[in-house]
Amino acid sequence: MTVATSGAGGPPAEAPDLAADAPAALLAPRLAQFAGVARHEHFTRAAEELGVPQPTLSRAVARLEADLGVALLARHGRTVSLTPAGRAFAHSVERALAEVARAAETARADADPGAGKVAFGFLHTMGPETMPALIRAFRETHPRVRFALVQSYGEDMIERMRSGELDLCLTSPVPDAPDLVTRRLDEQRLYLVVPADHRLAGRRRVRLAETAEESFVTLEPGYGLRRLTDDLCARAGFRPRIAFEGEEPETLRGLVAAGLGVALLPPATLPRPGVRDLSVTAPRAVREIGVAWMARRPETAPVAAFRRFLLSRRGALTG
């Protein structure tokens, strides 16, 4: 299982030019044939291994040499030997063919119904409890399926799905875009989190309008929970005064405990000293959680199985 947070890795390798007249496109069909001849240094034995007529193999290697403009083989009747250029080229070809073989094997393994891989994104707030419970339940019937997990915010996960990095994701709010398929799975209550010595800390319920003069700590713009905070406050008749912005809900709880503001947050995964969670009675403070995947993109059997599993948890996702 692979776990990643938001962010990119190193720079991608430069993509080869695959236009019809590009060297890679011209040479690729004949590389495996040349590699066979290079290993045996004999056309007949290489042709037998490759399952092609010997004259066909000879012509293919001759065309390869013509395309490169360099002699790769020194002919000695029925046998051949590699020239210095041919030996260097053969080493590179073997490495390239081995990489292609590994890529093909990985693709087959990831699509294996019983032991493939699912690249899955989810919100930070679902990491400590919800995601481990979901994966444990799924692997009771699919014990060999592997996961590449990405914790991030909604907009980032959607872009990663569009780029092919993710197969599907749990996100909030549920996105609406023509290239996506989405399903609402559950809703989660949000609480007003206040310091333990706050004037409202002794209450169990509060109207959000009562916090119009408070300082808020919240997530940065672009996060779904930030948009929801702004929307709920607007519905309560005020614009929140933002004192601090962060990237992690648990960090926000720490800021609240330090007396630096109040926050609208989902339930804590573990009790946090120094804060109180108050129910919000008006407006109704909940966030929808849904699953999203790309429309019209082929999916492997493990991805389809996990998607069906998530849909079966509708209404029970957050416990």
Side-chain angles (χ1 to χ4, degrees):
M1 182 182 298
T2 303
V3 180
T5 57
S6 57
E14 183 179 352
D17 182 0
L18 295 182
D21 59 348
L26 291 171
L27 302 179
R30 296 190 284 277
L31 294 182
Q33 295 169 319
F34 168 71
V37 175
R39 283 194 296 270
H40 291 284
E41 293 191 317
H42 197 286
F43 274 105
T44 302
R45 287 197 291 271
E48 291 173 351
E49 178 187 72
L50 296 170
V52 299
Q54 187 269 328
T56 300
L57 184 60
S58 296
R59 289 193 296 270
V61 174
R63 286 197 300 270
L64 177 63
E65 291 177 304
D67 290 337
L68 288 173
V70 64
L72 301 174
L73 301 171
R75 275 85 173 165
H76 313 287
R78 292 180 177 272
T79 63
V80 294
S81 61
L82 291 165
T83 65
R87 193 168 303 282
F89 187 63
H91 286 315
S92 296
V93 167
E94 290 286 4
R95 288 196 297 270
L97 293 174
E99 186 62 31
V100 170
R102 283 192 294 269
E105 182 59 32
T106 298
R108 285 193 293 266
D110 289 349
D112 184 333
K117 184 176 71 173
V118 178
F120 184 49
F122 57 96
L123 300 166
H124 288 284
T125 51
M126 307 190 77
E129 292 186 353
T130 302
M131 279 309 305
L134 284 174
I135 293 176
R136 181 179 62 187
F138 176 72
R139 295 189 76 184
E140 288 178 359
T141 53
H142 299 77
R144 295 189 298 130
V145 169
R146 296 170 292 118
F147 283 84
L149 300 177
V150 172
Q151 291 176 272
S152 192
Y153 60 97
E155 291 182 2
D156 178 63
M157 291 190 291
I158 297 303
E159 289 308 309
R160 291 189 184 209
M161 280 203 308
R162 287 176 172 142
S163 71
E165 184 179 345
L166 291 177
D167 296 312
L168 65 171
C169 68
L170 282 182
T171 186
S172 177
V174 181
D176 181 13
D179 60 339
L180 301 178
V181 181
T182 61
R183 295 290 184 272
R184 180 184 180 278
L185 295 180
D186 211 342
E187 66 178 30
Q188 188 177 44
R189 292 183 66 179
L190 300 180
Y191 293 86
L192 181 72
V193 183
V194 302
D197 59 356
H198 192 272
R199 61 182 177 85
L200 298 173
R203 303 263 296 274
R204 296 180 59 188
R205 301 177 181 84
V206 65
R207 290 178 296 107
L208 195 56
E210 297 178 68
T211 65
E213 301 303 317
E214 298 286 342
S215 296
F216 276 73
V217 297
T218 185
L219 297 179
E220 296 174 349
Y223 284 75
L225 191 57
R226 169 62 180 272
R227 291 197 299 273
L228 187 54
T229 295
D230 292 343
D231 179 63
L232 288 170
C233 290
R235 289 162 58 190
F238 69 96
R239 183 176 180 177
R241 297 190 300 180
I242 306 300
F244 295 92
E245 296 174 333
E247 297 180 347
E248 294 280 353
E250 289 308 307
T251 300
L252 299 186
R253 285 185 179 273
L255 293 172
V256 172
L260 299 175
V262 302
L264 283 168
L265 294 173
T269 55
L270 295 172
R272 177 89 187 213
V275 299
R276 298 288 184 271
D277 288 8
L278 312 180
S279 297
V280 178
T281 59
R284 185 169 181 263
V286 298
R287 67 171 179 173
E288 289 188 338
I289 297 173
V291 60
W293 63 93
M294 297 301 300
R296 296 178 295 278
R297 175 180 290 172
E299 60 185 9
T300 64
V303 171
F306 188 59
R307 175 174 53 80
R308 289 192 298 269
F309 167 79
L310 290 175
L311 293 175
S312 75
R313 308 284 290 197
R314 186 180 285 114
L317 190 70
T318 62

